Amino acid sequence: MVENVAAAKESSAQSLEADLLLSPIAELVTPWVDALPARGSAMQSVRRIQNAALAVRSGKISFVGTAEEAAREVRTGAHTRVLDCSKRLVTPGLVDPHTHLIFSGNRANEFVMRCQGKSYAEIANAGGGILASMKATRSASQDELVSLAQKRLQRMLEHGTTTVEVKTGYGLDRESELNMLSAIFALVEKSSIDIVPTFMPAHAVPPGKDREGYVNEIIADMLPAAQKLWQQCSPQVKRRLPHVFADVFCDEGYFTLEDTRRIFDHARQCGFSLKVHADEFANLGASRLATEYGAASVDHVLQISDEEIALLSKCDTVAVLLPGTSFYLNLQEHAPARKMIASGVAVALGSDYNPGSCHIFSLPMILALACLHLRMTPEEALTALTVNAACAIGRGDQVGMLRVGYQADIAVYDVATLEEVPYNIGLNTIAGVIKSGALVVSDNLTC
């Protein structure tokens, strides 16, 4: 469903001069839901305004409506920057709720192995996978990790991403995991993209450790040390971090359901919010556990059961689907998006950007894969990559919609309609990006 233009106008008293005005806009498209996260038919319920306008004041959206209405209601002056988007699409800035972008080295050799028919498990058993990235990441300094991540974040920004979750998980010992977490905290301070940290030493069992002993180490040592590191962050960083998450890879060959429960208990005691990698290769019951603990999200969920779908439909835990991973791994099956949406599950999308199983950082590309492989509509996919993705990382009341009072995170495209974004699969259609009201990518925008 697409709501009518007349209903889409939203404005506030225009007593203050706008800092930035986008007008006219060929088409403005935004999710428009009052009860978060969006689920069922509400994921399709976007507002589309042709010949639109959007105004920004002090980093927040102050007007959304038609260009004709803006001419009457938006106050402009000598200091107002006006952007002509008469041939362009405008959406909320894109939100990536699942990435592993802190790492060193690469796993290009695994791509070749995969092309030759090797499975994820076969590659891992041959010394590849997470443990291969562990070796390279352990040898990198914090400065090197920050520098590599900054380049990746800039590429993401240039493809429309304005908020991103970033996990540890390639250190797999106390020193290296804390080094990764420190690098993420440094990025929070330095980057124009909003960053949400996730502590994930439970990504794999490192060589030379038994699983139970390593879980005990995570609980007794690593989680409290991460909590202390978080508490010692500067006030500026703390203000930008309403949530820091802990995550567990609960799947066959990684961590058991009981491991996950124990880690969840202690992570929650340390003040972390919860996420889980669930049901990617086998169903161990992690999605059920996530609903029991009120986790912010369950991610992957290719093997989720109907019973767990029903449980998710009755709670606010978001299912983060990662079609780039199933595509990159050349899997025949994908997450059951249509069944989940029909059942009322809140569905989000993420990139799962990482060095091995999904080296895709472009969310417009993920939007296209969601349409092709998950059979989502462009409207549903946009909702999943904006407000629902924001809900999956605790930011749904701040970013993900173009509404008055929301943070002015805006993506501007070199196409005129939403459908042209997935249609141009593989092409970066982003013309400009606005973050908190500041133009941070502007090569193709003119005043």
Side-chain angles (χ1 to χ4, degrees):
M1 174 177 101
V2 178
E3 298 193 10
N4 63 53
V5 172
K9 177 198 165 192
E10 181 168 294
S11 63
S12 60
Q14 300 301 312
S15 58
L16 296 174
E17 181 181 303
D19 301 319
L20 178 67
L21 176 64
L22 281 63
S23 182
I25 299 166
E27 180 174 64
L28 183 149
V29 185
T30 180
W32 201 273
V33 288
D34 294 318
L36 296 175
R39 57 183 78 240
S41 62
M43 290 191 62
Q44 179 79 4
S45 182
V46 302
R47 292 194 169 180
R48 304 180 74 146
I49 312 173
Q50 282 75 43
N51 193 32
L54 182 151
V56 175
R57 173 73 188 185
S58 300
K60 300 289 182 71
I61 295 170
S62 60
F63 173 91
V64 179
T66 67
E68 181 180 343
E69 291 161 343
R72 295 194 305 267
E73 301 181 32
V74 176
R75 181 180 164 193
T76 60
H79 300 292
T80 303
R81 186 170 190 177
V82 180
L83 297 179
D84 180 356
C85 300
S86 56
K87 297 181 180 179
R88 294 194 165 105
L89 166 72
V90 167
T91 74
L94 304 177
V95 178
D96 197 335
H98 187 124
T99 82
H100 299 263
L101 67 79
I102 294 281
F103 63 86
S104 185
N106 74 67
R107 282 153 52 192
N109 62 310
E110 294 181 19
F111 183 84
V112 176
M113 294 170 71
R114 194 168 297 115
C115 292
Q116 295 170 342
K118 300 294 184 183
S119 70
Y120 186 96
E122 288 172 327
I123 291 170
N125 291 335
I130 293 167
L131 299 185
S133 291
M134 177 202 75
K135 295 172 186 176
T137 302
R138 281 185 177 181
S139 66
S141 69
Q142 184 184 135
D143 287 345
E144 289 170 331
L145 292 176
V146 169
S147 178
L148 288 167
Q150 284 178 309
K151 294 174 184 175
R152 294 165 188 150
L153 286 167
Q154 182 60 33
R155 289 199 296 268
M156 288 179 165
L157 187 66
E158 290 168 358
H159 283 72
T161 301
T162 52
T163 301
V164 62
E165 182 261 13
V166 182
K167 303 177 193 294
T168 72
Y170 292 123
L172 306 184
D173 63 20
R174 183 184 194 276
E175 180 183 357
S176 301
E177 285 293 311
L178 293 179
N179 190 42
M180 293 182 75
L181 187 60
S182 294
I184 297 172
F185 288 149
L187 290 166
V188 170
E189 194 161 16
K190 294 179 178 183
S191 178
S192 57
I193 295 182
D194 281 336
I195 293 171
V196 176
T198 295
F199 188 57
M200 196 182 178
H203 197 195
V205 179
K209 299 270 187 179
D210 68 274
R211 196 194 73 252
E212 186 175 352
Y214 184 57
V215 169
N216 290 337
E217 185 180 338
I218 290 171
I219 289 168
D221 187 16
M222 297 169 78
L223 283 168
Q227 178 192 29
K228 184 177 180 180
L229 188 64
W230 176 17
Q231 291 171 339
Q232 291 173 342
C233 286
S234 69
Q236 178 184 353
V237 170
K238 284 183 179 178
R239 280 194 299 272
R240 298 184 69 177
L241 294 180
H243 300 275
V244 175
F245 290 91
D247 198 344
V248 181
F249 192 176
C250 182
D251 216 317
E252 193 173 73
Y254 292 88
F255 295 90
T256 68
L257 191 65
E258 184 54 34
D259 296 336
T260 306
R261 183 182 293 276
R262 293 180 62 212
I263 293 168
F264 271 11
D265 284 337
H266 289 270
R268 196 158 59 178
Q269 289 172 17
C270 289
F272 293 96
S273 300
L274 303 177
K275 289 179 164 293
V276 64
H277 283 52
D279 312 327
E280 183 176 6
F281 304 116
N283 188 317
L284 303 186
S287 292
R288 171 185 283 277
L289 187 70
T291 63
E292 178 186 333
Y293 276 76
S297 72
V298 292
D299 300 33
H300 286 292
V301 293
L302 276 73
Q303 307 300 328
I304 192 169
S305 68
D306 289 349
E307 181 185 4
E308 288 166 314
I309 288 174
L311 288 172
L312 283 174
S313 72
K314 296 177 176 63
C315 70
D316 287 339
T317 299
V318 178
V320 177
L321 312 186
L322 306 166
T325 308
S326 48
F327 168 75
Y328 205 86
L329 293 177
N330 205 23
L331 302 181
Q332 295 303 306
E333 59 182 327
H334 304 276
R338 287 265 50 96
K339 180 185 289 186
M340 298 176 89
I341 292 170
S343 299
V345 176
V347 170
L349 294 166
S351 71
D352 194 21
Y353 175 67
N354 71 73
S357 60
C358 185
H359 205 54
I360 300 170
F361 61 85
S362 167
L363 291 185
M365 174 76 169
I366 297 300
L367 191 152
L369 291 176
C371 294
L372 286 171
H373 289 166
L374 305 186
R375 296 174 47 233
M376 295 173 70
T377 68
E379 292 87 357
E380 290 169 338
L382 179 67
T383 298
L385 280 169
T386 52
V387 71
N388 275 11
C391 289
I393 51 175
R395 301 288 179 95
D397 61 341
Q398 304 166 49
V399 298
M401 288 194 284
L402 300 179
R403 297 188 70 158
V404 169
Y406 264 64
Q407 192 165 291
D409 292 359
I410 304 162
V412 183
Y413 303 75
D414 246 337
V415 295
T417 65
L418 177 62
E419 289 75 15
E420 292 175 80
V421 177
Y423 169 70
N424 283 288
I425 188 168
L427 173 68
N428 183 18
T429 56
I430 294 292
V433 178
I434 295 158
K435 179 65 184 173
S436 298
L439 198 56
V440 292
V441 175
S442 59
D443 290 349
N444 296 322
L445 292 182
T446 58
C447 295

